[in-house]
Amino acid sequence: MAEEKESTSSSLSQGLTPHDPEDVPKSPPHSPNSSTRKACYAVLQSWVSKKFMTGCVVLFPVAVTFLVTWWFIEFVDSFFSPIYARLGVEIFGLGFLTSILFIFFVGVFASSWLGATVFWLGEWFIKRLPFMKHIYSASKQISAAISPDQNTSAFKEVAIIRHPRLGEYAFGFITSSVVLQVDTLPVQVDFCT
């Protein structure tokens, strides 16, 4: 027994440095220094990070769409909701519904002969104003490009075009199409701006 105490005290006095490689103390699996625990933690952290970023990627367009739609509804609702507020009727969206109906009836009126004449006179007057004519002309060109009344397919589709520099792309709107005849197979070529 005295020999065991002496060997224990000698190993303690030597600073617990083992002489045999098999005597190296191994950390138990539940130890924070375990390499298995570190590997599991790294895999879990990577998995959580990927799933969190996937959630962000999925929810970002939904949130942006919701916020823009909500802003648009509130913006359009604000045109007619003060009229309903004075009448004592406060229903959210009633002003928006009234605005949509108003826009529809303006479209019906503008399609008639009388409406076309009234809008032609208004356009003639606006084109005589110094600063307003530039704003009106630009917005008229944009609305004409996306108008459902035009027969062409201009600006109906968006295209992604590869830039000559590797890895760069640009957006373009398809303005017209040409069908080329190569041997006996027709090939369609789209022109973008």
Side-chain angles (χ1 to χ4, degrees):
M1 183 122 160
E3 291 175 3
E4 287 178 20
K5 284 184 182 180
E6 194 175 287
S7 67
T8 306
S9 64
S10 68
S11 65
L12 286 176
S13 64
Q14 293 175 357
L16 293 174
T17 54
H19 299 289
D20 196 10
E22 294 177 9
D23 291 341
V24 175
K26 295 183 180 175
S27 58
H30 63 278
S31 167
N33 296 330
S34 170
S35 61
T36 306
R37 183 179 176 119
K38 286 180 182 179
C40 289
Y41 180 73
V43 168
L44 183 65
Q45 184 179 13
S46 173
W47 182 82
V48 169
S49 297
K50 285 180 184 177
K51 297 307 175 192
F52 181 79
M53 288 308 295
T54 302
C56 288
V57 166
V58 168
L59 287 178
F60 179 73
V62 172
V64 168
T65 303
F66 178 76
L67 289 174
V68 168
T69 305
W70 187 262
W71 172 83
F72 179 75
I73 289 173
E74 285 185 341
F75 176 72
V76 174
D77 190 50
S78 67
F79 289 117
F80 288 101
S81 60
I83 296 170
Y84 292 118
R86 287 194 175 204
L87 295 174
V89 178
E90 293 191 27
I91 300 173
F92 179 76
L94 190 59
F96 177 75
L97 182 63
T98 307
S99 300
I100 297 298
L101 288 173
F102 176 75
I103 292 169
F104 173 74
F105 286 124
V106 166
V108 169
F109 178 69
S111 299
S112 69
W113 176 82
L114 179 63
T117 305
V118 168
F119 280 105
W120 179 82
L121 286 172
E123 191 174 87
W124 176 83
F125 180 72
I126 289 174
K127 286 183 178 179
R128 301 287 183 259
L129 298 174
F131 180 67
M132 299 284 283
K133 65 181 178 182
H134 300 296
I135 297 171
Y136 182 77
S137 295
S139 60
K140 176 92 176 180
Q141 287 175 355
I142 292 171
S143 66
I146 61 173
S147 173
D149 291 338
Q150 68 182 20
N151 295 330
T152 64
S153 62
F155 297 102
K156 296 290 183 193
E157 295 181 45
V158 179
I160 298 177
I161 304 162
R162 188 178 309 171
H163 193 271
R165 200 174 306 156
L166 185 65
E168 291 188 10
Y169 297 90
F171 288 104
F173 293 97
I174 296 178
T175 56
S176 62
S177 296
V178 175
V179 177
L180 300 175
Q181 200 73 14
V182 179
D183 293 333
T184 57
L185 301 171
V187 177
Q188 180 176 347
V189 178
D190 295 327
F191 294 98
C192 298
T193 58

